[in-house]
Amino acid sequence: AQKVTQAQTEISVVEKEDVTLDCVYETRDTTYYLFWYKQPPSGELVFLIRRNSFDEQNEISGRYSWNFQKSTSSFNFTITASQVVDSAVYFCALNEVTNAGKSTFGDGTTLTVKP
Amino acid sequence: DVKVTQSSRYLVKRTGEKVFLECVQDMDHENMFWYRQDPGLGLRLIYFSYDVKMKEKGDIPEGYSVSREKKERFSLILESASTNQTSMYLCASTESVLGRMSEQYFGPGTRLTVT
């Protein structure tokens, strides 16, 4: 069975600090996809990134970067120079190709960025 | 701009009432999902649908049913609402692409309170 663990329930940082959100997953499949979503206080989840199991390249998008390591089953998300607008709940999710498109979500990490 | 809309942002119902939550997407997506979100529990899948008139149970289907008569609309039904169904309900949709998992697009959520 697939499982996603986000061990950090809440993180609080001061603006301009860097912060890393951890995501550890479990799967028996060799083909799977990992996602990060952001849920701001307004409530609507927004897609941030998708990674498939065959692509271990790290990715950077502005202040956001993602580190995918199959050896440790981790897909961590780093925000550089955090801003107040980054305050949100962040979810990591896993889709196994054999599980017919269903996503398993972690419990989420609530990030608070203080001015 | 892609859109998933939900019929209500806030809803208050009494125990025993039949409740309908409606979700509409305008992206011609094949797959649609209903989740509930509770503090500390992340997103839990209630039901999903891969096509019109097709439905499959998710992880917590008890007390719920669904209907998908048209491709763009996916309804969640609480046959007899109970207080433990007080929650945030999220609808999502995703396209079906052979060999690739697409990201999910979420609606704004319906916060249901059952008294």
Side-chain angles (χ1 to χ4, degrees), chain A residues 21-85:
Chain A
L21 309 182
D22 297 333
C23 173
V24 174
Y25 62 92
E26 294 177 27
T27 177
R28 293 178 187 162
D29 279 20
T30 55
T31 304
Y32 53 88
Y33 287 75
L34 295 161
F35 301 81
W36 275 96
Y37 293 87
K38 175 182 179 180
Q39 186 179 37
S42 60
E44 193 163 329
L45 273 85
V46 175
F47 163 74
L48 295 177
I49 190 172
R50 174 184 59 238
R51 236 335 154 244
N52 73 54
S53 52
F54 298 108
D55 182 3
E56 285 194 72
Q57 275 192 335
N58 292 330
E59 181 154 340
I60 298 174
S61 176
R63 296 183 297 107
Y64 294 173
S65 62
W66 291 269
N67 180 251
F68 176 31
Q69 291 195 341
K70 285 179 74 171
S71 60
T72 56
S73 297
S74 65
F75 186 42
N76 296 337
F77 172 30
T78 297
I79 302 174
T80 303
S82 60
Q83 299 177 1
V84 172
V85 294

Side-chain angles (χ1 to χ4, degrees), chain B residues 20 28 45 47 55 65-66 70 79 81 84-85 93:
Chain B
F20 293 87
D28 201 35
L45 182 64
Y47 266 96
K55 59 187 179 185
S65 62
V66 291
K70 294 185 178 180
E79 296 290 343
N84 63 12
Q85 292 178 309
S93 73

Side-chain angles (χ1 to χ4, degrees), chain B:
Chain B
D1 200 18
V2 296
K3 267 293 193 204
V4 179
T5 56
Q6 296 183 228
S7 49
S8 307
R9 286 302 300 268
Y10 300 94
L11 208 53
V12 180
K13 295 292 182 180
R14 293 192 182 276
T15 300
E17 279 193 77
K18 191 169 186 175
V19 181
F20 293 87
L21 303 182
E22 306 284 341
C23 174
V24 177
Q25 50 96 1
D26 64 0
M27 298 163 280
D28 201 35
H29 284 171
E30 292 79 9
N31 307 324
M32 297 187 73
F33 306 83
W34 275 107
Y35 297 91
R36 64 177 281 176
Q37 182 179 12
D38 300 289
L41 297 178
L43 275 68
R44 293 180 291 168
L45 182 64
I46 305 172
Y47 266 96
F48 59 102
S49 169
Y50 290 121
D51 203 348
V52 175
K53 297 192 186 294
M54 295 191 68
K55 59 187 179 185
E56 288 198 33
K57 293 179 180 179
D59 300 318
I60 52 164
E62 297 77 20
Y64 304 94
S65 62
V66 291
S67 172
R68 192 162 181 206
E69 297 295 320
K70 294 185 178 180
K71 189 176 185 180
E72 67 271 18
R73 186 180 297 270
F74 192 34
S75 302
L76 180 69
I77 303 156
L78 286 66
E79 296 290 343
S80 177
S82 63
T83 54
N84 63 12
Q85 292 178 309
T86 291
S87 185
M88 171 70 89
Y89 290 87
L90 297 173
C91 176
S93 73
T94 182
E95 61 178 341
S96 181
V97 180
L98 191 63
R100 180 171 73 85
M101 292 295 158
S102 297
E103 64 273 21
Q104 295 189 27
Y105 293 86
F106 285 84
T110 295
R111 187 166 294 282
L112 172 68
T113 301
V114 182
T115 61

